[in-house]
Amino acid sequence: MLGWFVRILFAIAAPITALFVARDALNFGLIQTIVTMLLVTALVGLVAAYTGRDRQAPR
């Protein structure tokens, strides 16, 4: 199951990485991994921000 999640994130990160680095460059895999880690960090941050908000707070 975790492999599916990582594969989906790599599939999302590949076109983003291709905007900055040619696909046949030697460091494409490294840059793609860095972009994937940034996506994971953003996803965790969004989940933390969403779950951290108080639903019963007065408006």
Side-chain angles (χ1 to χ4, degrees), residues 7-49:
R7 188 173 295 222
I8 290 170
L9 284 174
F10 269 106
I12 294 170
I16 296 170
T17 306
L19 292 173
F20 302 106
V21 179
R23 287 188 186 264
D24 58 349
L26 293 176
N27 60 352
F28 182 80
L30 178 68
I31 305 293
Q32 184 181 11
T33 303
I34 293 170
V35 171
T36 302
M37 291 188 322
L38 289 173
L39 288 173
V40 168
T41 304
L43 184 64
V44 168
L46 286 174
V47 168

Side-chain angles (χ1 to χ4, degrees), residues 53-59:
R53 66 186 182 111
D54 189 16
R55 297 179 188 199
Q56 299 298 328
R59 294 181 187 186

